Amino acid sequence: MSKKSITNHDLSVGIFIGGDFIPSYAGATNQMHYLSRYLQKAGVKVVIFHGYRGWTDLRLIAQEPFKTYIFPIDRYYGDLDFLANLIRKENLHIIQFNDLEPIISQGIKLSQATGAYIVSESYYVVSNLAKSIGASVSRIRSIQKLEAITGSIVDHVICLSKDDKPKLRSAMKISDDRISVVPSGVDLKEIKYWGPNFDSKTVLFLGNLYFEPNADAVRSIHTDILPALRQKGFRFLVVGDCPPMLKRKYESRDFKFTGPVRDLNVVFRQATVALAPIQESTGLCIKILNYLGAGLPVISTSQAASGISNIKHMVIENDLRKYAGIVGNLTKNRRSTVRRSIAARRFIENNFDWQKVASRTASVYRKVLNQQAKDKSRFISLLSEFNIGKPAWLEEAEKKGRFANSKSLIKDRFSYGIIQRGRIRIIK
């Protein structure tokens, strides 16, 4: 297929999701959800391969424009011949993963069997994050080894920020022509512009609190920011999945945990200011994109804002003890704060609209199909020689019981399922 002849309608990609999916209450699932939706709308054929743990709402998946196969977890990871048959049946050119481990445990064999290219969508440098949150030396070394091995296997890497590109190149030991930067996006049809609600005196933090950098941020907000603003009549809303112990320890009348919120506009329209006091390296901070899309004044650390090239629409401050004073200045100077919020929305419209992001991603896929695919046959031995284990996020979610109360729509054992055009078909 020559370079000029490839259009979006020539592209077909299978996206592998082994954890939660829709509703998308975390940055990674938000990325997979909306990327899949807007790629399909742009003419790219998208097929989801989903290891179903009962954590997702199949009825919501059925409302999406793409096709989804669901599998029991043991079959998702264990019956690769069946998955390869589906990849061939769907005539998929690319298979895409967002975790390192399944690239080895699934990707190598599936690519060898079908000829599909492997794309890794990397949200951050896993070993750097592991270091910043105090992982053991042995765990960090294991992740670093895994990064280098996957870098030698994948045909292309997509990362979400320019800041992460050189770090990933180094960690995964890949050449510059095999890594591209495409950011996440904002669904501007869903996220409305609200601007700051000065009267509500509400400070917002959004995030999956089973993810330790977000939990650390909440602890810091409670210690360093809440006391001064509480005296001025402000309340705090912490929105997102939350470990019960964290909620019990910190919740009070003016420090409320809402849990996950399906429609973010409900909390965005209440907010005066939004915070992103993340101290660890976590790649592009998707919560900030949504804050800016809603026109909220944002106060962020330089670490959290590192994936966004133009930071003039935010207030950057690493000393959290100064946040209360900044909130006071933003609410006092209302006219300039509103002007900044309008400019922030326009910035998101120009740079992070999901329609544009999907178009850029499709361009990367066209580039991939014009590259020589890597020979993966020499890596087959890794399937038995390397102790792959679970992705770090999955270990953390299971350890903290994140989805302990999820109720599966499928009550009995099943072989697989097909979800498309509003229909859910389960094959026993």
Side-chain angles (χ1 to χ4, degrees):
M1 189 180 290
S2 68
K3 196 168 185 177
K4 289 185 179 180
S5 70
I6 300 176
T7 67
N8 284 4
H9 294 279
D10 297 316
L11 296 171
S12 56
V13 57
I15 297 179
F16 282 71
I17 302 171
D20 54 320
F21 183 27
I22 303 174
S24 48
Y25 291 140
T29 50
N30 182 279
Q31 168 74 12
M32 291 183 284
H33 176 186
Y34 288 95
L35 176 63
S36 302
R37 174 189 290 180
Y38 278 90
L39 281 172
Q40 186 73 41
K41 287 185 175 184
V44 178
K45 178 180 177 179
V46 175
V47 178
I48 303 296
F49 293 80
H50 182 29
Y52 179 64
R53 303 173 187 270
W55 297 350
T56 54
D57 190 330
L58 303 184
R59 291 160 295 195
L60 291 179
I61 296 175
Q63 297 173 21
E64 296 294 331
F66 45 78
K67 184 175 185 178
T68 301
Y69 288 100
I70 62 169
F71 312 89
I73 287 300
D74 56 351
R75 191 171 202 191
Y76 177 73
Y77 288 111
D79 194 350
L80 298 184
D81 289 336
F82 182 66
L83 269 64
N85 285 335
L86 292 177
I87 290 170
R88 285 189 289 264
K89 174 185 174 183
E90 297 289 351
N91 192 29
L92 300 179
H93 303 125
I94 291 168
I95 51 177
Q96 181 166 305
F97 301 85
N98 72 309
D99 283 315
L100 302 172
E101 291 83 356
I103 290 172
I104 295 176
S105 63
Q106 295 172 289
I108 297 173
K109 190 170 182 180
L110 292 175
S111 178
Q112 277 294 103
T114 65
Y117 290 75
I118 299 178
V119 169
S120 170
E121 189 173 52
S122 300
Y123 302 146
Y124 44 77
V125 184
V126 182
S127 57
N128 287 355
L129 177 61
K131 289 177 186 176
S132 68
I133 62 176
S136 67
V137 173
S138 61
R139 178 60 169 153
I140 292 168
R141 286 176 178 168
S142 175
I143 293 171
Q144 289 172 331
K145 181 178 179 182
L146 190 59
E147 286 172 330
I149 291 171
T150 54
S152 63
I153 292 167
V154 298
D155 295 291
H156 207 84
V157 174
I158 297 176
C159 63
L160 304 190
S161 79
K162 291 180 180 178
D163 291 344
D164 278 344
K165 182 177 179 179
K167 300 173 188 176
L168 282 164
R169 278 196 62 195
S170 175
M172 301 181 78
K173 298 177 173 56
I174 54 177
S175 58
D176 191 66
D177 64 327
R178 291 187 180 268
I179 183 167
S180 300
V181 178
V182 183
S184 188
V186 176
D187 189 326
L188 295 168
K189 294 180 180 178
E190 290 188 0
I191 301 298
K192 309 298 183 185
Y193 171 81
W194 297 100
N197 185 334
F198 294 110
D199 295 333
S200 73
K201 301 187 82 170
T202 298
V203 180
L204 174 67
F205 179 82
L206 171 66
N208 164 28
L209 302 180
Y210 286 90
F211 186 51
E212 199 57 31
N214 284 330
D216 284 342
V218 167
R219 297 182 188 105
S220 298
I221 291 169
H222 193 273
T223 301
D224 297 324
I225 305 172
L226 169 64
L229 288 178
R230 172 188 277 156
Q231 295 175 10
K232 298 178 181 179
F234 281 86
R235 66 170 185 148
F236 288 71
L237 286 183
V238 180
V239 178
D241 256 352
C242 180
M245 288 183 62
L246 189 73
K247 180 178 180 179
R248 284 195 297 268
K249 183 173 183 178
Y250 293 106
E251 187 167 50
S252 63
R253 180 176 54 82
D254 45 18
F255 201 84
K256 289 291 186 181
F257 290 78
T258 70
V261 172
R262 183 72 56 85
D263 182 2
L264 290 177
N265 291 294
V266 172
V267 291
F268 285 165
R269 68 186 179 189
Q270 301 177 51
T272 310
V273 177
L275 305 183
I278 308 297
Q279 303 288 357
E280 293 88 1
S281 175
T282 59
L284 179 64
C285 199
I286 294 174
K287 65 171 64 61
I288 291 180
L289 301 185
N290 285 312
Y291 291 161
L292 296 175
L296 299 180
V298 178
I299 312 173
S300 169
T301 59
S302 56
Q303 189 69 262
S306 62
I308 301 174
S309 58
N310 190 334
I311 60 173
K312 68 179 182 180
H313 305 294
M314 299 176 275
V315 179
I316 306 299
E317 178 54 63
N318 294 324
D319 186 348
L320 272 63
R321 294 168 297 182
K322 296 181 180 180
Y323 276 45
I326 296 170
V327 171
N329 290 333
L330 290 170
T331 55
K332 181 180 179 180
N333 300 299
R334 295 189 175 193
R335 187 171 296 179
S336 62
T337 299
V338 170
R339 283 200 300 268
R340 174 181 273 172
S341 82
I342 293 171
R345 173 72 179 198
R346 289 174 181 161
F347 170 67
I348 295 298
E349 289 172 348
N350 292 333
N351 297 279
F352 295 95
D353 182 344
W354 262 119
Q355 291 182 334
K356 297 176 181 178
V357 173
S359 178
R360 289 176 61 178
T361 305
S363 296
V364 173
Y365 292 157
R366 289 194 289 271
K367 176 182 177 180
V368 171
L369 296 186
N370 278 286
Q371 292 177 322
Q372 181 67 37
K374 286 196 172 184
D375 178 12
K376 302 172 184 69
S377 58
R378 65 190 180 94
F379 297 105
I380 292 293
S381 63
L382 290 174
L383 296 175
S384 58
E385 294 178 4
F386 190 71
N387 183 18
I388 300 167
K390 296 178 180 179
W393 74 265
L394 180 56
E395 288 183 345
E396 186 177 42
E398 291 180 340
K399 180 180 178 180
K400 295 181 178 179
R402 182 182 175 198
F403 299 103
N405 297 320
S406 297
K407 295 181 180 179
S408 174
L409 187 67
I410 306 173
K411 302 301 181 184
D412 302 316
R413 291 182 60 85
F414 69 107
S415 177
Y416 71 104
I418 305 171
I419 306 173
Q420 188 177 33
R421 300 189 185 97
R423 294 185 59 197
I424 303 171
R425 185 158 64 97
I426 306 300
I427 291 86
K428 300 294 186 179

